Amino acid sequence: MTHPTPPPLGSYAESWTPGPVTDEDPLPTGPVAALSAVLNLPDPVAKAWDPLPPLWHWLYFLTWPAGRDLGADGHPRGGHFSPPLPQRQRMWAGGRCEITRPLRLGEPTERISSLRAVTAKQGRTGEMLFITERREFRQQDRVCLVEEQDIVYRSGRTAGQHPTALDESAFPHPDAPWQLPLRPDPALLFRFSALTANAHRIHYDTPYAQDEEGYPGIVVHGPLLALLMLELPRRHAPDRPVRSLSYRLRRPVFAGERLAACGAPADDRADLHIATHREDRHATAEVTFQ
């Protein structure tokens, strides 16, 4: 299917200056127990008043727009920090997080969100608009965590460089002291979408992902890859709290492929990545310990 050429992305952001937004969430235990089950963990990773593992706050402060407010791709047409872009292709590119003290599960939490930066760039596949959103999380009037998320919007639909067929039998063979293998199937991706209020069709609608977005199959969520990488220090260095982290989502992984989250500790930090038989670094992360 062909689409008309949209105007330059930068033209939509010139006068776009949304103000900060404050939200509250009680951080109930249910979402943590649910994601723990999705990841086949024997018990919830945290119970009431326990520290929340890094990035598990993505299960909270969710928004559920009306169905009529979703675009053809399943993503909300608009949003306080979503630029008014027609025919856009949205990707989560990466982010950073500074943790002063872990959020406590079950404790009322305030989140203050603001727009950090908007930058238009020309890439190999066309024009791109980079949006950075800053989020500050408070408990008991104290800043516990500050996060930045980088979202990229592409103009129109671009297929990118993806395999035409997937080999679901091939295994990655990483050389790393920390490893976590996984074969994400459509059921896992569907459940993760539900837990994160993500209606983007690339994660559950195979014909859409192939015909409209140019992928060989449905796409594993970038946030899920980041959470899998952060599982490594949680499991292998449970007594070393994470002070800061950064991650980058480089190339997609698809449902059915076998992947491995890999990590190597070094002094007060650890380098992490996601590998398949196709590529060694679909996603990368670095954590610094307290």
Side-chain angles (χ1 to χ4, degrees):
M1 182 180 297
T2 60
H3 300 273
T5 302
L9 295 181
S11 64
Y12 290 95
E14 291 174 353
S15 60
W16 181 61
T17 55
V21 173
T22 300
D23 300 295
E24 295 181 350
D25 196 300
L27 301 195
T29 58
V32 164
L35 181 57
S36 300
V38 168
L39 297 179
N40 281 322
L41 300 177
D43 299 295
V45 299
K47 299 178 181 179
W49 317 121
D50 286 344
L52 194 63
L55 302 185
W56 283 62
H57 63 272
W58 289 344
L59 299 174
Y60 300 96
F61 295 94
L62 305 181
T63 58
W64 291 89
R68 63 180 176 273
D69 295 328
L70 299 180
D73 58 0
H75 189 260
R77 286 194 184 94
H80 191 75
F81 296 107
S82 300
L85 304 175
Q87 303 167 24
R88 75 277 190 266
Q89 190 176 35
R90 178 184 185 273
M91 298 172 295
W92 194 330
R96 296 151 298 284
C97 190
E98 295 283 341
I99 304 171
T100 304
R101 64 170 184 163
L103 296 172
R104 293 282 174 175
L105 194 60
E107 188 168 315
T109 306
E110 180 183 68
R111 183 186 70 179
I112 303 171
S113 305
S114 59
L115 184 65
R116 173 84 174 186
V118 182
T119 307
K121 296 183 180 180
Q122 193 70 29
R124 290 180 300 174
T125 57
E127 190 180 17
M128 299 181 292
L129 193 68
F130 289 79
I131 308 295
T132 298
E133 181 180 337
R134 183 182 187 274
R135 297 174 172 180
E136 181 180 290
F137 295 82
R138 294 174 171 265
Q139 287 183 334
Q140 297 182 357
D141 295 324
R142 292 178 57 186
V143 176
C144 299
L145 184 155
V146 177
E147 175 188 27
E148 290 185 352
Q149 293 182 0
D150 301 325
I151 307 296
V152 179
Y153 292 87
R154 284 178 176 169
S155 180
R157 295 285 185 258
T158 55
Q161 297 178 352
H162 308 300
T164 56
L166 301 176
D167 185 350
E168 299 184 6
S169 64
F171 289 81
H173 296 285
D175 181 16
W178 295 350
Q179 296 189 25
L180 172 61
L182 184 70
R183 182 176 178 266
D185 58 21
L188 188 154
L189 301 188
F190 176 82
R191 298 173 79 190
F192 189 80
S193 287
L195 282 173
T196 54
N198 188 339
H200 201 168
R201 291 169 65 182
I202 63 172
H203 302 305
Y204 60 87
D205 187 337
T206 300
Y208 174 86
Q210 293 174 335
D211 299 339
E212 288 290 331
E213 304 265 1
Y215 296 117
I218 57 176
V219 181
V220 178
H221 308 68
L224 177 57
L225 298 180
L227 281 166
L228 289 174
M229 289 189 288
L230 267 295
E231 271 295 283
L232 294 171
R234 190 190 72 81
R235 297 185 185 194
H236 293 279
D239 297 328
R240 305 190 69 187
V242 172
R243 183 185 69 205
S244 65
L245 64 94
S246 62
Y247 60 93
R248 184 177 177 188
L249 306 172
R250 299 172 181 270
R251 292 191 181 274
V253 180
F254 304 100
E257 290 193 291
R258 301 178 188 274
L259 63 82
C262 308
D267 299 325
D268 64 343
R269 54 187 289 274
D271 292 319
L272 316 171
H273 65 275
I274 297 289
T276 69
H277 75 285
R278 293 190 289 111
E279 187 165 328
D280 192 46
R281 279 170 166 73
H282 289 268
T284 56
E286 179 181 319
V287 301
T288 302
F289 299 109
Q290 292 184 10

